Structures are given as structure tokens and as C-alpha cells.
Amino acid sequence: MQALEYLRELIAFPSVSSESNVAVTDQAERWLRQLGFDTERVHYTDACGVLKSNVIGRRGPAAPGGLAWFGHTDVVPASTWSRPGAGPWSAEVSEGRVYGRGSCDMKGQVACMLAAAASIQSPLNSPLWIVLTADEEIGMHGARHVAAHSKLYREIVSARPRSIIGEPTCLRVVHAHKGGRTLKVVSRGRAAHSSTGLGINANFALIPFLQEAALVNHQMEHSPEWRDDRFIPPTPTMNLLITDTNTASNITSPRSECTLYFRPMPGQQSDTVVQRLQESARQHGLEFSVTFSGEPLFTPPDAPFVRELLELSGNTAAETVAYGTDGGVLTELSCPVVFGPGDIAQAHTDDEWISLDQLDRGTLLYRRAIERWCTAE
């Protein structure tokens, strides 16, 4: 199984999002060139000064149509790993599964697409693009740089190919997913011994904003305009994180930070919520920033490409998911869908795995997609 061999090598790269992914991207580019792809690299340095890299490849003519496939090479950390033996950076094959960090999200999908492309020996009549990004797991920064700086991506946008984002869907066709907004609010006080009355407690200053955030959350959970029953769960599920740097109960807290994250669905006015919370922060003298913004993905479930992919994969109806993908940033794509082997339930776990059956089926269905949209006259 060629996908398994690709996956073994991919897992061996500890390409956690906080580290550089240049080594794994170098290897991916070597493979793409061996498979007849013309390639382009888009490098950037992240906020911590770490070099990151994306690779975009095209095989076949520079022409309209064809197929574009999108994946990412970064993975979440593996600080805990429950599988005995090999560890997270060495593929372990056991009882029909491949264990290893990234096996399910999403080096397994990359391996399937490479194996599918390798199995096509005949010339392509329409273009096939493969795009591998960095930092999908921590803000989709790689996709943002591809959209802003890649010449081949601009070619994709102009060609309007059928587009597949290869995240794990158990090879079910996903026509829509939620977006995301992350808001950070910082309250600053002054540390002092609490007996003196000379301090300013940053936590108390944050409370009025938290009350407004609670009202927004209640509205999102109970108002019809924030409900979309096509999704499970059908609301934006706002999450709240509060971080206080204090070290003792008799010190007034000098700094408190609130992070809010919610997942808007297609057609919902998420920017009005951002503006409302930003104004509340301003009124209470708090610092406000938007640290992540990703749009919902939506392709009509009766769109021709969705129907064609349902037919090709043997599924009866397209679905929605609550998580996001690079599609929330690559918004210029025409009729994108999410479609890949592996189960999202295994992603990010401390014994992450993908089944050999899903690798087999993923390679087969990706090959059929290439044959249908890149080799057929």
C-alpha cells in the first residue's frame, strides 16, 4: 500500500505547529516533483520568529477546470501519548490501524492523495493542484499566506476547479462547516498587598465586560437568528477562557485576560457581535483584539460538484460539521467541499490513528476523482 509508505515517512516528521514545518514540506515537494508536478513555495516567519513553509503543485496543463486538493502538514502537540512502544513520531501498524501523531489529522489524507496521484500514469487533460499549508491547527496562517502570495493559488482561483479540502470525514461529503472568531480582552490593574487598599484588581475591572459577554452568549444560544438546525450543535457554542496571572490571595491582580471563541454559521452576522463586544471593552477601559477570524464554508448541497462527489463516493446526502478548515480562509474557491479518509473523533487524541481500510478507500476515491476531473476528455 503506497499510502502507508508515504504516511510512515510523514509521521516521522515532528511538525508540531509551534515548530518549523520546512523539513516535512521539503519532502512533500520532492515527492510532488517526482510525480510530475511543477511546484511553488511560499515561506513566512510566524509571530515567534519560526520559519514556516507552504508548497503548491500543479500537474497537467494550465487550463480551466480540473481538481484542486488542499491539506496541511502541521500537527497538534503530542505531550502525552498513551500507546506503548513506538511513540507519536513513528508509525505503528496494529490490528488494522496506523497509530501516530497526524495519522488522522491530516497526514493520512496527504498520503492518500500522493498515492492516488502516483497511481495515475497517463497524461492529465485538465490540471491537478495539490496545496499543502502550514499552521492550519493554530489559525490557518499558512493558508492566509498562500491566498496572499501564491501565483499558483491565483491560477486555481481563476481556473475555478472542483476543490476538495481533505480533512477527515470518514469519506462522507461535507458541504458546509462553521466559521470561527477568537476575541482577546485584557484588563490591567496594579499589584499591591490587598490590605493596603493601594492596588487595582484587574479581575473586578473585567466583570462588567463578562456580564455583556454572558448576555451575548445567551442570545446566541436562544435566539432564532443564531440557530441553524443543519449543524450539530445548531448554535455558535461560545466558549470562555479567563487567565489571571496572580500568585496569592493577598495580592491585587495586575492583569487578567479573557478569551472568547464562537463558531458562526453561514449567513449569521458575526461581525455585529464582534463590534458589540469591542464597544463594551472600550467603555470599560479594556484592551480588545481579534486574534482569529475564519469564515463558514458553504456550498449548496444540491450543487453539481456535490452531487457528482456523492455519486463517486457512494454517499446518499451531503453533511455539515462543526469544526473549521483552511476553507474558512480560502474563500475565493468555487464550490469547495470537505472530503477525506479518517474519523475526526480520532484527531488530536493521545493514541491518534487511522484505519488501513480508510487509507485504502481514501486512495481509491481520490484516484477516481483525479480520473473523473483530470483525465477524462
Side-chain angles (χ1 to χ4, degrees):
M1 181 197 302
Q2 191 165 10
L4 177 58
E5 299 311 309
Y6 280 126
L7 182 54
R8 286 184 189 275
E9 292 199 46
L10 288 167
I11 288 174
F13 290 95
S15 52
V16 176
S17 303
S18 58
E19 305 296 331
S20 177
N21 74 326
V22 170
V24 68
T25 307
D26 286 345
Q27 180 60 68
E29 183 175 33
R30 284 192 289 270
W31 284 331
L32 289 171
R33 286 187 172 276
Q34 290 168 6
L35 296 176
F37 285 77
D38 296 324
T39 61
E40 175 193 22
R41 294 289 285 270
V42 175
H43 303 284
Y44 65 98
T45 301
D46 70 12
C48 296
V50 178
L51 182 63
K52 302 295 180 69
S53 189
N54 310 283
V55 62
I56 307 95
R58 187 197 72 232
R59 178 175 160 190
L67 177 69
W69 187 91
F70 298 83
H72 62 87
T73 57
D74 64 312
V75 298
V76 297
S79 52
T80 62
W81 190 253
S82 64
R83 289 290 301 178
W89 311 116
S90 180
E92 175 194 353
V93 181
S94 176
E95 298 181 342
R97 298 175 177 178
V98 185
Y99 292 88
R101 175 57 81 226
S103 56
C104 178
D105 187 10
M106 63 173 294
K107 291 178 176 179
Q109 293 75 19
V110 175
C112 287
M113 192 59 191
L114 290 169
S119 70
I120 304 291
Q121 301 297 320
S122 59
L124 303 184
N125 298 316
S126 296
L128 170 65
W129 290 272
I130 294 179
V131 181
L132 300 177
T133 65
D135 286 344
E136 190 272 349
E137 299 288 0
I138 56 169
M140 305 168 188
H141 303 298
R144 297 179 197 277
H145 280 82
V146 166
H149 303 293
S150 168
K151 294 179 180 178
L152 281 179
Y153 179 72
R154 298 261 61 86
E155 186 178 278
I156 292 171
V157 171
S158 297
R160 299 180 62 82
R162 292 158 174 83
S163 298
I164 292 175
I165 299 164
E167 295 282 356
T169 68
C170 291
L171 293 167
R172 295 191 289 266
V173 179
V174 170
H175 74 95
H177 66 58
K178 294 183 179 183
R181 295 289 189 280
T182 303
L183 316 177
K184 184 171 78 172
V185 176
V186 178
S187 172
R188 298 190 184 275
R190 181 170 64 242
H193 195 288
S194 61
S195 68
T196 67
L198 299 176
I200 299 175
N201 193 301
N203 289 322
F204 285 126
L206 190 61
I207 289 174
F209 174 82
L210 293 177
Q211 291 173 325
E212 181 68 13
L215 290 174
V216 170
N217 179 59
H218 185 272
Q219 180 181 357
M220 284 182 162
E221 288 299 309
H222 299 285
S223 298
E225 64 265 31
W226 289 104
R227 185 178 182 90
D228 189 334
D229 289 320
R230 295 173 297 186
F231 291 85
I232 302 174
T235 61
T237 60
M238 177 178 280
N239 193 37
L240 169 65
L241 172 67
I242 298 175
T243 305
D244 178 9
T245 59
N246 204 352
T247 57
S249 61
N250 60 355
I251 303 173
T252 53
S253 295
R255 187 181 188 278
S256 186
E257 180 178 304
C258 160
T259 301
L260 293 166
Y261 181 59
F262 66 96
R263 299 174 181 270
M265 290 163 281
Q268 295 180 342
Q269 301 302 311
S270 55
D271 288 342
T272 62
V273 168
V274 174
Q275 292 163 6
R276 175 178 171 181
L277 292 172
Q278 183 176 23
E279 177 59 21
S280 176
R282 186 194 65 78
Q283 289 176 0
H284 299 296
L286 307 174
E287 301 170 16
F288 180 93
S289 60
V290 179
T291 60
F292 170 75
S293 179
E295 298 305 314
L297 179 145
F298 183 80
T299 295
D302 59 350
F305 179 41
V306 175
R307 296 199 307 267
E308 293 164 354
L309 195 53
L310 288 171
E311 177 188 357
L312 182 144
S313 61
N315 290 290
T316 57
E319 304 177 13
T320 67
V321 292
Y323 57 83
T325 74
D326 273 345
V329 171
L330 303 174
T331 55
E332 296 170 281
L333 298 177
S334 60
C335 61
V337 300
V338 187
F339 179 71
D343 189 337
I344 195 66
Q346 272 79 59
H348 301 189
T349 60
D350 66 359
D351 65 340
E352 183 177 352
W353 56 269
I354 191 171
S355 72
L356 292 173
D357 176 68
Q358 283 284 296
L359 286 177
D360 276 340
R361 292 185 57 215
T363 303
L364 174 63
L365 291 177
Y366 282 162
R367 176 190 169 96
R368 289 179 179 173
I370 297 170
E371 289 174 336
R372 178 159 184 173
W373 292 300
C374 300
T375 68
E377 292 291 348

